[in-house]
Amino acid sequence: MSAPASGLQSGFAQIGKSVYIKGELSGSEDLYLDGQVEGSIALKGNSLTVGPNGQVKGGVEAKGVVVQGKLEGNIHASERVELRKSAIVTGDITTQRISIEEGAYLKGKVDINRADVK
């Protein structure tokens, strides 16, 4: 199994496309999600990548979030959010930096938090 080409380091957890999780998910390592999660995801000091087959229904709190699949819920990223061209996001995004590729779908508002403003 090779690491997905999304900039993740070798130390990450992976949830395959046949896995369905209902409930709260938290951890202290980067996570690559290609399955389904119904519930909140909290990876405060780490990154979440929702793969092209990934589906999330619930809020996400992480250091960085990359979405290639579908996410229904609010995203709070302390550093960066990337919406790839296949992303479908319904919910509000709060982050310091955001990147939205052409073709990505976003329904919600974006709040940019500057690091020097508290």
Side-chain angles (χ1 to χ4, degrees):
M1 166 171 51
S2 63
S6 62
L8 291 178
Q9 300 168 351
S10 59
F12 69 94
Q14 182 168 358
I15 296 176
K17 59 184 169 185
S18 67
V19 178
Y20 174 80
I21 297 172
K22 185 172 185 176
E24 296 179 7
L25 181 62
S26 63
S28 57
E29 60 188 305
D30 292 343
L31 176 64
Y32 180 83
L33 170 70
D34 218 20
Q36 295 182 45
V37 173
E38 189 174 331
S40 62
I41 299 176
L43 304 169
K44 294 186 183 186
N46 299 91
S47 297
L48 169 69
T49 299
V50 179
N53 300 305
Q55 295 185 28
V56 177
K57 287 186 180 181
V60 172
E61 185 172 353
K63 181 171 87 172
V65 178
V66 177
V67 182
Q68 297 171 318
K70 186 174 184 179
L71 194 149
E72 295 179 36
N74 295 336
I75 300 172
H76 181 82
S78 59
E79 289 186 5
R80 180 177 176 87
V81 172
E82 289 182 46
L83 303 184
R84 302 282 170 87
K85 62 183 174 186
S86 56
I88 300 171
V89 176
T90 306
D92 298 340
I93 298 174
T94 304
T95 186
Q96 285 186 23
R97 297 186 319 255
I98 189 164
S99 168
I100 303 174
E101 286 186 1
E102 186 175 336
Y105 175 83
L106 170 62
K107 182 174 184 178
K109 70 177 184 172
V110 176
D111 287 330
I112 302 296
N113 290 335
R114 292 180 34 195
D116 59 347
V117 177
K118 295 282 178 183

